[in-house]
Amino acid sequence: MIRFLSALLLLWNSCALADVGPKVALALGGGAALGFSHIGVLQVLEEEGLKPDLVVGTSMGSIVGGYYSAGMPLDSIRLEADRLNIFRMIDWKIGSKGFFEWKKVRKRLEKRLDGLRIEGLPMEYVAVATDLYSGERVMLRDGELIPAMLASATIPGLYQPLEVQGRTLVDGGMVDDVPVLSAIDAGAEVVIAVDVSHPLISEDIRTPFDVMRQAFFIIQHHNVNHRRELADVVIRPDLDDMEYHHFSKVEEAIAAGRAATRAALPAIRAALKDKTRTTPSETGRHHE
């Protein structure tokens, strides 16, 4: 009898099934100060027990995502946001390819992230940059963390391009501003995209500078719309009252990120449920 029961238990274990969740990526888009809303997105996801497996970041998304993937608590990232006012940390270095360098910002990042390598982070991380010469999308998945974060945020023409892994790199927003495609290429099965791109200027285009800004926004708009179509869920914080340079409005950006993520929770849960698959459990595989 005991042998029969043992055999029955063994058969049950071999047939046991378990739900296996999909690999979830959070694709954090570029947007300068608007990107501080990524902190609010991450806060809500953590509160709901929905931490991603992978963070892919472009520009400011790579900065926030790099801190987070390195294991920094969100309260600490929030404090760092107050200190990362790019306009207060400008380093003039007029050269052939730009006017500024990242010296002060790099020192700020080194206080928390010095010596870290991407492949050693507690959470999988990808920074997206653009090869200045080939125009290729570059996914930085290993190597030093800080150069990858900065390369992804290097605005072409303003900041000196960075040499990383033998390539001359600038802002990833040129090729993957909301890095959904990079998240898919990194193996994500569910992509939650956070779009903090600047809306088009609807009126008061009066100066040459306004025309140049609008031209950039139009190019970005088409890039972002294509990427949004590839995502499973798109979170779009309401940032219409903010501009790229509003680095003092950290709380407003975070609040917008929180509100948009709360509204997106049903869609996120539905996407996760839809991609969850049933497979033999670890116990079952052990007895096979």
Side-chain angles (χ1 to χ4, degrees), residues 53-73:
D53 303 297
L54 160 69
V55 174
V56 183
T58 294
S59 201
M60 183 56 83
S62 76
I63 302 295
V64 175
Y67 273 127
Y68 188 71
S69 299
M72 182 179 288

Side-chain angles (χ1 to χ4, degrees), residues 58-59 128-130 137 151-154 170-177 223:
T58 294
S59 201
V128 181
T130 305
R137 175 171 52 95
S152 179
T154 295
V170 293
D171 199 305
M174 304 289 292
V175 290
D176 208 12
D177 195 49
N223 177 307

Side-chain angles (χ1 to χ4, degrees), residues 10-249:
L10 233 119
L11 179 62
W12 171 263
N13 282 336
S14 69
C15 296
L17 300 177
D19 288 337
V20 177
K23 182 176 182 178
V24 180
L26 190 61
L28 302 178
L34 307 182
F36 289 145
S37 61
H38 295 319
I39 300 172
V41 173
L42 287 163
Q43 286 176 345
V44 171
L45 292 179
E46 276 203 357
E47 290 165 6
E48 297 295 321
L50 297 171
K51 289 184 69 171
D53 303 297
L54 160 69
V55 174
V56 183
T58 294
S59 201
M60 183 56 83
S62 76
I63 302 295
V64 175
Y67 273 127
Y68 188 71
S69 299
M72 182 179 288
L74 288 171
D75 287 346
S76 297
I77 299 176
R78 163 68 185 83
L79 294 175
E80 286 297 303
D82 281 330
R83 301 182 178 100
L84 280 175
N85 186 323
I86 304 301
F87 292 104
R88 290 203 304 259
M89 304 180 79
I90 282 179
D91 292 293
W92 286 92
K93 187 178 180 181
I94 298 177
S96 61
K97 298 176 184 175
F99 299 101
F100 314 127
E101 62 178 351
W102 287 116
K103 188 175 180 180
K104 290 179 182 176
V105 175
R106 185 186 292 270
K107 285 184 176 179
R108 182 75 236 167
L109 296 178
E110 286 173 349
K111 290 181 181 295
R112 296 296 192 115
L113 306 173
D114 192 31
L116 295 183
R117 296 182 63 84
I118 295 172
E119 62 268 30
L121 300 180
M123 178 176 288
E124 188 177 352
Y125 169 77
V126 178
V128 181
T130 305
D131 187 303
L132 182 62
Y133 287 99
S134 69
E136 292 176 314
R137 175 171 52 95
V138 178
M139 295 171 57
L140 298 168
R141 307 177 68 172
D142 54 29
E144 295 181 71
L145 174 61
I146 291 174
M149 293 166 67
L150 293 177
S152 179
T154 295
I155 303 170
L158 292 181
Y159 282 86
Q160 300 277 353
L162 292 185
E163 299 293 327
V164 180
Q165 299 180 10
R167 307 182 79 161
T168 303
L169 301 181
V170 293
D171 199 305
M174 304 289 292
V175 290
D176 208 12
D177 195 49
V178 180
V180 178
L181 185 58
S182 297
I184 294 170
D185 286 347
E189 297 167 289
V190 171
V191 180
I192 303 168
V194 186
D195 174 13
V196 294
S197 58
H198 198 290
L200 297 179
I201 303 170
S202 59
E203 56 187 20
D204 293 330
I205 298 177
R206 299 177 179 179
T207 69
F209 179 68
D210 289 338
V211 173
M212 288 189 290
R213 288 177 68 225
Q214 182 75 335
F216 172 76
F217 294 154
I218 290 170
I219 294 169
Q220 183 187 55
H221 180 74
H222 286 282
N223 177 307
V224 168
N225 280 352
H226 175 65
R227 295 297 190 261
R228 286 168 58 111
E229 292 172 359
L230 301 175
D232 295 278
V233 180
V234 178
I235 298 173
R236 171 69 181 175
D238 182 0
L239 298 163
D240 288 350
D241 293 331
M242 285 186 63
E243 293 281 349
Y244 280 149
H245 60 276
H246 288 167
F247 286 95
S248 62
K249 295 187 175 183

